Amino acid sequence: MSELKDALVEFVKNHRGEAIQPAKVTAVDTTALTCDVEDTQGVTIYDVKLRATIDNEDDGKYYLPKVGSWVMIANIAHQQNAWCVVMWSELTKARWEIRPVVLKMDETGFLLEKQGDTLSDMMTDLMTQLGNLTTQIQALTVTCAAPGLPSSPPINVAAFVTIGTALDGVKTRFENILKTT
């Protein structure tokens, strides 16, 4: 009985392949979202999937490994030429999408976008309105009928109202894209 058990264990080892194994990235296809790797035995494996999709839609997430870095690859359903990357040692780009929100990161920074509105655009608009506010404060002028009497509203009060409305709009956009919990 022991011989049969040993033979069965050896058969399973030889026919299922390694479930997860280390490999070095030799090329990355950013269009097909695949990479080529070389395993520790020197065997090149082509078109290793970088995301879990079969419909080529842009949804989901993917990570682009750096050429020359190490990854862990897994065999898909024990098919001879079906592999995917499951862990990365170094990345050049990452993208997550849960529609309508997209988050992308690479060595130049990150992009956070929701329905076409980006965090960068909102920051630019906020800085513009704060600049406008500074300009209007510097131009603040009030008239007084006589010393000791209350002053009139600033002559540029309408500009302050416009800037306040614009800042409220930027705040609403921030609240739309950023979560508090």
Side-chain angles (χ1 to χ4, degrees):
M1 190 59 135
S2 162
E3 290 175 22
L4 179 59
K5 179 182 171 186
D6 292 342
L8 183 57
V9 167
E10 190 64 29
F11 176 81
V12 169
K13 274 189 199 175
N14 292 332
H15 287 85
R16 75 171 185 178
E18 293 182 49
I20 297 177
Q21 63 183 354
K24 193 172 220 174
V25 178
T26 58
V28 175
D29 183 334
T30 59
T31 303
L33 294 176
T34 61
C35 68
D36 300 339
V37 299
E38 185 177 295
D39 70 11
T40 56
Q41 305 298 315
V43 175
T44 299
I45 302 169
Y46 298 97
D47 300 324
V48 178
K49 292 181 172 286
L50 295 173
R51 69 175 173 165
T53 182
I54 57 172
D55 57 10
N56 291 324
E57 292 293 322
D58 288 336
D59 56 343
K61 65 180 179 180
Y62 65 80
Y63 304 93
L64 297 181
K66 183 177 181 180
V67 172
S69 69
W70 287 92
V71 293
M72 297 296 285
I73 60 172
N75 184 252
I76 302 171
H78 304 294
Q79 298 176 33
Q80 185 175 1
N81 293 317
W83 295 86
C84 66
V85 175
V86 295
M87 294 182 76
W88 306 257
S89 65
E90 293 181 69
L91 299 174
T92 59
K93 183 177 183 179
R95 176 189 166 110
W96 298 270
E97 182 167 347
I98 303 172
R99 290 186 186 167
V101 177
V102 176
L103 175 63
K104 298 179 196 176
M105 288 188 298
D106 63 21
E107 69 280 354
T108 63
F110 74 94
L111 170 76
L112 180 58
E113 179 180 1
K114 183 176 181 184
Q115 297 170 327
D117 206 7
T118 69
L119 190 56
S120 177
D121 291 342
M122 287 187 282
M123 186 220 34
T124 299
D125 292 348
L126 177 61
M127 296 310 294
T128 298
Q129 293 308 320
L130 290 174
N132 291 343
L133 184 60
T134 301
T135 301
Q136 291 304 318
I137 288 172
Q138 291 170 354
L140 185 64
T141 305
V142 295
T143 55
C144 295
L149 294 177
S151 60
S152 65
I155 60 171
N156 56 349
V157 72
F160 283 108
V161 171
T162 301
I163 293 168
T165 302
L167 287 171
D168 286 343
V170 173
K171 178 182 179 230
T172 300
R173 289 168 56 205
F174 270 110
E175 290 170 345
N176 184 42
I177 201 168
L178 299 176
K179 294 181 68 163
T180 58
T181 59

